[in-house]
């Protein structure tokens, strides 16, 4: 690993500590290079292999925000993560990614759903399923592909994803409406008349 002569030692140390934090959570090296400019991609890949022996960084196309919530129920969890991230952030998340807030939100989310977080498929309904998806959500909030809106009906935060296959409405309320509709369709057993 090369030392950057133009950067003070303390700043270099902070960059390496941040890289280790991100790579510990298995963030793709392509995302790490977006925030850490002083460490080469080859060095980041080598660090990843040292942290996770026997596996290398994930190759392939990076997923989009639209691909994360496959099920309507997934929006509940995605909205929860986005809300935790926004609450933890000291920055305006619409203009800049807040890395400490992402780390906190992810760790908090994992504590709440410890048996549902997966690095690899199958992912199921609880999303984000891994730190890469959490990063994509935060990134999408910054670049305008997603917004957090307050729902006046359920009084909660709802993540609205631009160009999604779902309507830009609160999916939590949509689930409730669907559940109520299903209940009203159920055939009620006839009550015998008393003579």
């Amino acid at each position: 690993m090369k030392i950057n002569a133009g950067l003070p030692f303390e700043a270099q140390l902070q960059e390496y500590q941040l890289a280790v934090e991100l790579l510990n959570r298995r963030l793709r090296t392509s995302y790490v290079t977006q925030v850490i400019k002083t460490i080469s991609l080859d060095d980041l890949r080598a660090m990843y292999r040292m942290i996770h022996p026997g596996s290398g960084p994930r190759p392939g196309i990076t997923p989009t925000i639209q691909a994360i919530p496959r099920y309507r129920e997934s929006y509940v969890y995605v909205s929860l993560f986005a809300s935790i991230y926004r609450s933890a952030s000291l920055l305006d998340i619409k203009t800049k990614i807040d890395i400490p807030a992402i780390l906190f939100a992810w760790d908090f989310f994992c504590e709440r759903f410890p048996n549902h977080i997966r690095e690899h498929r199958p992912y199921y309904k609880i999303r984000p399923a891994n730190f890469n998806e959490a990063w994509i959500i935060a990134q999408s909030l910054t670049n305008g592909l997603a917004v957090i809106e307050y729902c006046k009906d359920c009084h909660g935060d709802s993540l609205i994803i631009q160009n999604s296959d779902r309507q830009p409405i609160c999916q939590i309320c949509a689930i409730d409406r669907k559940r109520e509709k299903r209940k009203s369709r159920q055939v009620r057993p006839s009550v015998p008349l008393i003579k």
Side-chain angles (χ1 to χ4, degrees):
M1 306 219 179
K2 299 172 186 167
I3 303 294
N4 188 337
L7 201 62
F9 179 74
E10 291 172 358
Q12 289 181 44
L13 185 60
Q14 287 176 346
E15 292 270 294
Y16 276 95
Q17 286 175 333
L18 178 59
V20 168
E21 286 287 321
L22 297 173
L23 294 174
N24 264 337
R25 291 167 176 85
R26 297 184 183 270
L27 185 63
R28 288 177 181 246
T29 52
S30 59
Y31 293 140
V32 177
T33 58
Q34 292 173 2
V35 293
I36 296 178
K37 307 289 186 194
T38 58
I39 305 172
S40 72
L41 183 58
D42 289 336
D43 287 345
L44 286 171
R45 288 177 179 152
M47 287 173 67
Y48 190 101
R49 287 184 191 93
M50 284 190 289
I51 294 169
H52 306 287
S55 68
R58 291 185 70 189
I61 298 171
T62 56
T64 63
I65 184 74
Q66 293 86 357
I68 293 174
R70 291 270 181 212
Y71 305 98
R72 187 171 295 224
E73 292 83 1
S74 299
Y75 274 87
V76 175
Y77 300 102
V78 171
S79 295
L80 174 63
F81 174 80
S83 183
I84 296 167
Y85 168 60
R86 182 183 63 187
S87 297
S89 180
L90 299 175
L91 304 174
D92 179 9
I93 61 171
K94 294 177 183 175
T95 59
K96 186 175 182 186
I97 291 180
D98 187 347
I99 297 170
I102 296 173
L103 295 171
F104 172 81
W106 177 248
D107 292 345
F108 186 81
F109 189 82
C110 288
E111 285 175 18
R112 296 299 171 257
F113 305 103
N115 299 324
H116 299 286
I117 306 304
R118 299 177 178 271
E119 291 301 320
H120 304 287
R121 295 184 186 282
Y123 288 140
Y124 307 117
K125 294 181 180 179
I126 296 183
R127 306 298 282 273
N130 54 55
F131 191 63
N132 288 298
E133 289 185 355
W135 187 270
I136 292 165
I137 292 166
Q139 200 175 44
S140 297
L141 288 166
T142 301
N143 63 25
L145 291 176
V147 294
I148 302 171
E149 291 186 358
Y150 176 76
C151 177
K152 294 175 185 173
D153 294 331
C154 69
H155 305 287
D157 289 332
S158 180
L159 187 72
I160 306 297
I161 299 173
Q162 307 299 326
N163 302 320
S164 172
D165 59 346
R166 303 275 180 205
Q167 291 180 331
I169 59 171
C170 175
Q171 296 301 320
I172 298 164
C173 291
I175 291 169
D176 288 342
R177 283 191 296 274
K178 191 174 182 180
R179 192 175 297 138
E180 289 299 319
K181 196 175 188 179
R182 215 178 294 138
K183 281 182 186 178
S184 67
R185 284 188 197 165
Q186 289 177 348
V187 178
R188 296 181 185 164
S190 61
V191 180
L193 296 174
I194 302 176
K195 293 183 181 180

